[in-house]
Short mmCIF file of all heavy atoms in Angstrom, two decimals:
data_model
loop_
_atom_site.label_atom_id
_atom_site.label_comp_id
_atom_site.label_asym_id
_atom_site.label_seq_id
_atom_site.Cartn_x
_atom_site.Cartn_y
_atom_site.Cartn_z
N GLY Z 29 -35.89 31.04 3.44
CA GLY Z 29 -36.68 32.26 3.31
C GLY Z 29 -36.09 33.22 2.30
O GLY Z 29 -36.87 33.83 1.60
N LYS Z 30 -34.79 33.34 2.17
CA LYS Z 30 -34.21 34.21 1.27
C LYS Z 30 -34.41 33.71 -0.17
O LYS Z 30 -34.62 34.47 -1.12
CB LYS Z 30 -32.70 34.32 1.48
CG LYS Z 30 -32.36 35.20 2.69
CD LYS Z 30 -30.88 35.41 2.89
CE LYS Z 30 -30.58 36.37 4.01
NZ LYS Z 30 -29.13 36.59 4.18
N LEU Z 31 -34.49 32.43 -0.32
CA LEU Z 31 -34.91 31.81 -1.69
C LEU Z 31 -36.31 32.11 -1.99
O LEU Z 31 -36.63 32.41 -3.14
CB LEU Z 31 -34.56 30.32 -1.64
CG LEU Z 31 -33.11 29.84 -1.64
CD1 LEU Z 31 -33.00 28.30 -1.57
CD2 LEU Z 31 -32.41 30.33 -2.93
N TYR Z 32 -37.18 31.88 -1.01
CA TYR Z 32 -38.63 32.02 -1.26
C TYR Z 32 -38.93 33.46 -1.62
O TYR Z 32 -39.81 33.65 -2.53
CB TYR Z 32 -39.36 31.66 0.03
CG TYR Z 32 -40.87 31.72 -0.11
CD1 TYR Z 32 -41.48 30.65 -0.80
CD2 TYR Z 32 -41.61 32.80 0.32
CE1 TYR Z 32 -42.92 30.67 -0.98
CE2 TYR Z 32 -43.05 32.84 0.20
CZ TYR Z 32 -43.63 31.78 -0.52
OH TYR Z 32 -45.04 31.79 -0.67
N VAL Z 33 -38.34 34.51 -1.01
CA VAL Z 33 -38.73 35.88 -1.35
C VAL Z 33 -38.35 36.29 -2.81
O VAL Z 33 -38.74 37.41 -3.18
CB VAL Z 33 -38.20 36.85 -0.35
CG1 VAL Z 33 -38.85 36.76 0.98
CG2 VAL Z 33 -36.73 36.81 -0.25
N LYS Z 34 -37.65 35.50 -3.51
CA LYS Z 34 -37.23 35.83 -4.83
C LYS Z 34 -38.48 35.96 -5.76
O LYS Z 34 -38.44 36.65 -6.79
CB LYS Z 34 -36.23 34.87 -5.42
CG LYS Z 34 -34.88 34.96 -4.83
CD LYS Z 34 -33.82 33.98 -5.51
CE LYS Z 34 -32.49 34.08 -4.86
NZ LYS Z 34 -31.50 33.13 -5.49
N ARG Z 35 -39.52 35.23 -5.40
CA ARG Z 35 -40.76 35.30 -6.20
C ARG Z 35 -41.41 36.66 -6.06
O ARG Z 35 -42.27 36.99 -6.76
CB ARG Z 35 -41.70 34.19 -5.75
CG ARG Z 35 -42.36 34.42 -4.38
CD ARG Z 35 -43.09 33.17 -3.99
NE ARG Z 35 -42.23 32.01 -4.02
CZ ARG Z 35 -42.68 30.72 -4.15
NH1 ARG Z 35 -43.99 30.49 -4.25
NH2 ARG Z 35 -41.85 29.68 -4.17
N PHE Z 36 -41.04 37.46 -5.00
CA PHE Z 36 -41.49 38.79 -4.86
C PHE Z 36 -40.55 39.86 -5.46
O PHE Z 36 -40.67 41.06 -5.06
CB PHE Z 36 -41.81 39.06 -3.42
CG PHE Z 36 -42.65 37.98 -2.75
CD1 PHE Z 36 -42.12 37.23 -1.73
CD2 PHE Z 36 -43.97 37.77 -3.23
CE1 PHE Z 36 -42.95 36.22 -1.12
CE2 PHE Z 36 -44.70 36.80 -2.68
CZ PHE Z 36 -44.25 36.00 -1.59
N ASP Z 37 -39.62 39.43 -6.24
CA ASP Z 37 -38.65 40.40 -6.86
C ASP Z 37 -39.47 41.38 -7.77
O ASP Z 37 -40.38 41.09 -8.44
CB ASP Z 37 -37.75 39.61 -7.80
CG ASP Z 37 -36.72 40.53 -8.45
OD1 ASP Z 37 -35.76 40.89 -7.82
OD2 ASP Z 37 -36.98 40.82 -9.62
N PRO Z 38 -39.05 42.67 -7.65
CA PRO Z 38 -39.80 43.74 -8.34
C PRO Z 38 -39.96 43.50 -9.89
O PRO Z 38 -40.94 43.74 -10.42
CB PRO Z 38 -39.03 45.00 -8.08
CG PRO Z 38 -38.33 44.72 -6.73
CD PRO Z 38 -38.01 43.28 -6.77
N LYS Z 39 -38.84 42.94 -10.51
CA LYS Z 39 -38.95 42.70 -11.93
C LYS Z 39 -40.01 41.63 -12.23
O LYS Z 39 -40.77 41.79 -13.20
CB LYS Z 39 -37.59 42.16 -12.42
CG LYS Z 39 -37.57 41.81 -13.90
CD LYS Z 39 -37.85 42.96 -14.82
CE LYS Z 39 -37.50 42.71 -16.30
NZ LYS Z 39 -38.29 41.58 -16.85
N VAL Z 40 -40.08 40.61 -11.45
CA VAL Z 40 -41.13 39.60 -11.68
C VAL Z 40 -42.58 40.18 -11.49
O VAL Z 40 -43.41 39.96 -12.33
CB VAL Z 40 -40.93 38.38 -10.61
CG1 VAL Z 40 -42.11 37.49 -10.67
CG2 VAL Z 40 -39.59 37.72 -10.85
N LEU Z 41 -42.68 40.99 -10.49
CA LEU Z 41 -44.04 41.59 -10.17
C LEU Z 41 -44.41 42.59 -11.27
O LEU Z 41 -45.56 42.68 -11.66
CB LEU Z 41 -44.05 42.22 -8.84
CG LEU Z 41 -43.68 41.27 -7.60
CD1 LEU Z 41 -43.77 42.04 -6.32
CD2 LEU Z 41 -44.61 40.09 -7.63
N ALA Z 42 -43.40 43.33 -11.78
CA ALA Z 42 -43.73 44.31 -12.88
C ALA Z 42 -44.17 43.56 -14.11
O ALA Z 42 -45.06 44.00 -14.79
CB ALA Z 42 -42.35 45.07 -13.19
N ASP Z 43 -43.49 42.47 -14.46
CA ASP Z 43 -43.92 41.70 -15.59
C ASP Z 43 -45.34 41.13 -15.44
O ASP Z 43 -46.11 41.18 -16.43
CB ASP Z 43 -42.92 40.54 -15.85
CG ASP Z 43 -41.57 41.00 -16.28
OD1 ASP Z 43 -41.50 42.12 -16.79
OD2 ASP Z 43 -40.59 40.21 -16.26
N GLU Z 44 -45.62 40.67 -14.18
CA GLU Z 44 -46.97 40.15 -14.03
C GLU Z 44 -48.03 41.25 -14.08
O GLU Z 44 -49.14 41.04 -14.69
CB GLU Z 44 -47.01 39.51 -12.62
CG GLU Z 44 -46.22 38.23 -12.48
CD GLU Z 44 -46.16 37.64 -11.16
OE1 GLU Z 44 -46.71 38.23 -10.17
OE2 GLU Z 44 -45.62 36.48 -10.98
N MET Z 45 -47.69 42.41 -13.52
CA MET Z 45 -48.69 43.58 -13.64
C MET Z 45 -48.81 44.03 -15.01
O MET Z 45 -49.96 44.38 -15.46
CB MET Z 45 -48.26 44.67 -12.73
CG MET Z 45 -49.26 45.77 -12.51
SD MET Z 45 -50.79 45.23 -11.71
CE MET Z 45 -50.23 45.17 -9.94
N ASN Z 46 -47.79 44.08 -15.75
CA ASN Z 46 -47.90 44.53 -17.13
C ASN Z 46 -48.72 43.56 -17.96
O ASN Z 46 -49.50 43.93 -18.84
CB ASN Z 46 -46.42 44.64 -17.81
CG ASN Z 46 -46.51 45.42 -19.07
OD1 ASN Z 46 -46.90 46.55 -19.11
ND2 ASN Z 46 -45.99 44.78 -20.15
N ALA Z 47 -48.60 42.26 -17.67
CA ALA Z 47 -49.52 41.31 -18.29
C ALA Z 47 -50.98 41.58 -18.01
O ALA Z 47 -51.83 41.42 -18.89
CB ALA Z 47 -49.08 39.87 -17.87
N VAL Z 48 -51.28 41.98 -16.79
CA VAL Z 48 -52.60 42.27 -16.44
C VAL Z 48 -53.10 43.49 -17.26
O VAL Z 48 -54.20 43.52 -17.84
CB VAL Z 48 -52.75 42.66 -14.96
CG1 VAL Z 48 -54.11 43.19 -14.55
CG2 VAL Z 48 -52.41 41.45 -14.08
N TYR Z 49 -52.30 44.52 -17.39
CA TYR Z 49 -52.63 45.74 -18.16
C TYR Z 49 -52.92 45.34 -19.61
O TYR Z 49 -53.91 45.78 -20.23
CB TYR Z 49 -51.47 46.73 -18.15
CG TYR Z 49 -51.19 47.36 -16.81
CD1 TYR Z 49 -50.03 48.04 -16.61
CD2 TYR Z 49 -52.14 47.37 -15.79
CE1 TYR Z 49 -49.72 48.71 -15.41
CE2 TYR Z 49 -51.83 47.92 -14.54
CZ TYR Z 49 -50.68 48.58 -14.34
OH TYR Z 49 -50.33 49.27 -13.14
N LEU Z 50 -52.05 44.46 -20.20
CA LEU Z 50 -52.33 44.05 -21.58
C LEU Z 50 -53.57 43.26 -21.73
O LEU Z 50 -54.24 43.39 -22.81
CB LEU Z 50 -51.11 43.28 -22.05
CG LEU Z 50 -49.74 44.10 -22.21
CD1 LEU Z 50 -48.65 43.19 -22.64
CD2 LEU Z 50 -49.98 45.31 -23.07
N LYS Z 51 -54.00 42.55 -20.72
CA LYS Z 51 -55.26 41.81 -20.80
C LYS Z 51 -56.45 42.69 -21.05
O LYS Z 51 -57.51 42.32 -21.61
CB LYS Z 51 -55.55 40.95 -19.53
CG LYS Z 51 -54.63 39.70 -19.42
CD LYS Z 51 -55.00 38.93 -18.19
CE LYS Z 51 -54.18 37.69 -18.01
NZ LYS Z 51 -54.46 36.94 -16.77
N CYS Z 52 -56.33 43.92 -20.51
CA CYS Z 52 -57.42 44.89 -20.63
C CYS Z 52 -57.73 45.29 -22.17
O CYS Z 52 -58.76 45.85 -22.44
CB CYS Z 52 -57.16 46.23 -19.83
SG CYS Z 52 -57.05 45.92 -18.06
N PHE Z 53 -56.76 45.00 -22.98
CA PHE Z 53 -56.88 45.44 -24.35
C PHE Z 53 -56.94 44.11 -25.31
O PHE Z 53 -56.65 44.26 -26.50
CB PHE Z 53 -55.71 46.30 -24.77
CG PHE Z 53 -55.60 47.56 -24.00
CD1 PHE Z 53 -54.89 47.66 -22.89
CD2 PHE Z 53 -56.36 48.67 -24.35
CE1 PHE Z 53 -54.78 48.82 -22.14
CE2 PHE Z 53 -56.30 49.86 -23.64
CZ PHE Z 53 -55.50 49.95 -22.52
N ASP Z 54 -57.18 42.97 -24.73
CA ASP Z 54 -57.17 41.74 -25.51
C ASP Z 54 -58.07 41.82 -26.71
O ASP Z 54 -57.80 41.31 -27.74
CB ASP Z 54 -57.53 40.59 -24.63
CG ASP Z 54 -56.35 40.05 -23.85
OD1 ASP Z 54 -55.21 40.51 -24.10
OD2 ASP Z 54 -56.53 39.16 -23.00
N ASP Z 55 -59.26 42.43 -26.54
CA ASP Z 55 -60.17 42.55 -27.64
C ASP Z 55 -59.89 43.60 -28.61
O ASP Z 55 -60.61 43.83 -29.67
CB ASP Z 55 -61.62 42.59 -27.18
CG ASP Z 55 -61.88 43.96 -26.36
OD1 ASP Z 55 -60.94 44.77 -26.30
OD2 ASP Z 55 -62.94 44.08 -25.77
N ASN Z 56 -58.85 44.42 -28.34
CA ASN Z 56 -58.43 45.54 -29.22
C ASN Z 56 -59.53 46.55 -29.49
O ASN Z 56 -59.44 47.40 -30.38
CB ASN Z 56 -58.01 44.98 -30.60
CG ASN Z 56 -56.73 44.12 -30.46
OD1 ASN Z 56 -55.82 44.51 -29.72
ND2 ASN Z 56 -56.80 43.01 -31.11
N SER Z 57 -60.62 46.50 -28.65
CA SER Z 57 -61.74 47.46 -28.92
C SER Z 57 -61.47 48.89 -28.61
O SER Z 57 -62.24 49.74 -29.03
CB SER Z 57 -62.99 46.89 -28.18
OG SER Z 57 -62.72 46.93 -26.78
N PHE Z 58 -60.47 49.17 -27.81
CA PHE Z 58 -60.20 50.55 -27.50
C PHE Z 58 -58.76 50.91 -27.80
O PHE Z 58 -58.17 51.75 -27.09
CB PHE Z 58 -60.53 50.76 -26.01
CG PHE Z 58 -62.02 50.78 -25.73
CD1 PHE Z 58 -62.62 49.64 -25.47
CD2 PHE Z 58 -62.67 51.98 -25.83
CE1 PHE Z 58 -64.05 49.68 -25.28
CE2 PHE Z 58 -64.00 52.01 -25.50
CZ PHE Z 58 -64.72 50.86 -25.26
#
């Protein structure tokens, strides 16, 4: 269980969310 919850580490989640944010600007239109 302790090994499994590493996938929910804040740094990992922050990187994933930041990638979502950047997808919003993929077309550079704004």
Side-chain angles (χ1 to χ4, degrees):
K30 287 186 175 181
L31 288 175
Y32 185 77
V33 293
K34 288 183 179 180
R35 69 188 58 203
F36 308 117
D37 179 81
K39 175 65 167 64
V40 173
L41 302 182
D43 289 344
E44 291 177 354
M45 189 64 78
N46 195 56
V48 174
Y49 292 165
L50 294 179
K51 284 183 182 180
C52 294
F53 299 94
D54 276 352
D55 61 4
N56 296 315
S57 60
F58 286 87

